[in-house]
Amino acid sequence: MLEIPVEYVKGVGSDRAKLLQSELGISTVQDLLYHFPFRYVDRTRFYLVSEAGSLEQSIQLKGRLRNIRTTGGRKERLEAEFYDQSGSLELVWFAGIKWVKPLLVQGMEYVVFGKPGLFNKKLQISHPEIQTVDDFEAQPGSFQPVYTSTEKLKSKFLDSKGLSKLVQNALKQFHRQIPETLTMDLMYAANLISLSEALVNVHVPKDSTSLSRAIYRLKFEELFFIQLFLCRQNLLNKKEYKGFVFQKVGQSFNDFYNHYLPFPLTNAQKRVIKEIRHDIGSGKQMNRLLQGDVGSGKTVVALMSMLIAKDNGFQSCLMAPTEILAKQHFLTLRDLLQDMPVHIALLTGSTKKKDRNQLHQDLQSGLIDILIGTHALIEDEVKFANLGFVVIDEQHRFGVAQRAKLWKKNISPPHVLIMSATPIPRTLALTLYGDLDVSVIDELPPGRKPIQTIHYYEEKRLRLFGFLKEQIHLGRQVYIVYPLIEESETLDLNNLMEGFEAIQRAFPPPQYRVGIVHGRQAAADKDFEMQRFQKGETNILVSTTVIEVGVNVPNASVMVIENAERFGLSQLHQLRGRVGRGADQSYCILMSSYKLSSEGKTRLETMVRTNDGFEIAEVDLKLRGPGDMGGTRQSGVEELKIADLVKDNQLLLLVRQYAEKVLSLDPNLSSAQNAILYQRLEELQRGRVSWKRIS
Ligand code: ADP
Ligand code: MG
């Protein structure tokens, strides 16, 4: 659509075209029309200077200037007094003075837009937008669009206003050539205006109703094509990759279920196993994301799925992000399977050469049923006789390329189950993993007491130590975690060591035993310490976040997080999930200094308020925005131009339904009426590298 070079828009020309391309990535008329305003000024609403002091937002004022002056030596500033009938305030500029100064004329009437603030007890607006009343009134519409621009563009007079002018020219010239991208059916069903009407009104709104209808239509379209792409990808995967058919639920599965499963499954676990069984019996390759909060019991679901694979003559593997975790999975599964004729093995970076060779043989001969390990699993020399099922634990640490490598280990790609203990809000899941099927374990095993979370400031340290002693005397164990953030690693390590020494002083041997693990230790030392703690030989384990994922010591009932304000929400939640795994009441204590940012405060309050991982994920998404959430970098989420995954989540769910409906009626988008959808999708895929990279 409108792939005409932007150069041909009146007022652009070749110099400005180059600049638009390099500064804003705008090279066609289409790009220009999709450069949406990031906000609007309601041109009909003027505030008085006397109201300005009490408002926390940007406002529009009408008044005159006096006392225009430049002050300061090398750090020049431009100041002017702005007044209306109610009072006066200062306008200040620190940069771009040579552009602004010529525009300011004593006594002339101006419209000013900006956010008032107090400086030296005097009200001022720094870097306001300013234009003469005449210029202001010459612009059409009652909402004035405001566009992102850059310093370089501004120097060529392409500030927000300049861009607005170009967009209006483009609309005048090419308005009739704007094709529709959605079908009549969709527009009718979802009550949408046409694309050309939407583009006109988003840039030059007639009134607030037209504006909101325009925005709605454009958001719908943006989300719709992403969902259409993802849903279609999902269908294509299923068609392209014939999965192995695991029809039987046989001896191993039944034996395990009837004789060795140590607890009744929760309803959620049963439901998820059913979903998996359906997938792997369907003849299509499964790509399923299993989301479940920490402690919800994903491991046993994985195990039972792998047993089905065995019953159908296939091998499985389970890949974990760290050695500690891989080993722990291995031990857990070995225990569960100890009386069953199922062969499982462990492969990590530290598996000895001799064992490794034997393991390679046993794998190729088909002797091993289940292989558990770290990244070592994807190395080329690891060859399976018949790999049919792959479980990936904590997937966000594995790249797409690594997954692809696993796929190559058999003639057909194996079924893939990705387990994640980082709940993500449904809207984000739909966008990030929209091409996967999603299962959720939304229920914890019975009998768990909710973890009590407390936030302490530093002054309560003695009380904390007293509490820990009580717990230790009851036979419980304690984690104490310190932040370790890469940029300040040395400093943090010192911090950890100091903390460790302080803890040792407060908990002296022989009465207490304290261990320590951190990333700089040799693997063997780390292992040794982990095992001592696991066996109950140490009361307290001081560590960095290496224990973050998956570690399971049911007797540990207290998690202390030092400098808790420095952790992100999902990390705090992960850490807290290390306790509360046994029958005892567990505690999470968040230690922080008094200096808390408001975001830090919200994070800690959220942790104290709720144990629900999905609720926490929602707050996290709101605090950080989707761009910062794990995995989104490569997902196209940050390329959203107008929709917002947080604010528009209802719309996203609706759009998803429309996309699914369209594809259920016409999976290949081959009908005449869907041709425009097909075309637009192709066009978007060509233009967006990241879309191709989605798993
Ligand atoms: P996660 O989902 O965090 O990986 P795990 O699979 O490690 O959780 O399970 C956490 C703990 O809960 C384990 O000790 C496991 O044995 C136990 N568990 C799992 N399912 C059940 C159940 N249905 N009833 C009781 N305990 C269970
Ligand atoms: Mg787990």
Side-chain angles (χ1 to χ4, degrees), residues 263-266 269 293-299 445 448 552 581:
F263 36 69
L265 294 175
T266 62
Q269 284 170 321
D293 218 335
V294 274
S296 61
K298 295 184 289 296
T299 316
R448 298 265 172 85
N552 192 19
R581 308 194 142 225

Side-chain angles (χ1 to χ4, degrees), residues 432-471:
L432 289 184
Y433 307 110
D435 57 339
L436 303 178
D437 296 306
V438 179
S439 289
V440 180
I441 304 189
D442 49 6
E443 178 188 2
L444 292 181
R448 298 265 172 85
K449 297 194 181 73
I451 301 165
Q452 269 185 40
T453 303
I454 304 156
H455 171 205
Y456 276 163
Y457 290 108
E458 194 50 43
E459 54 156 36
K460 296 266 178 70
R461 184 159 294 276
L462 280 182
R463 189 195 281 200
L464 169 73
F465 285 171
F467 175 71
L468 296 185
K469 283 181 180 159
E470 264 171 44
Q471 287 288 307

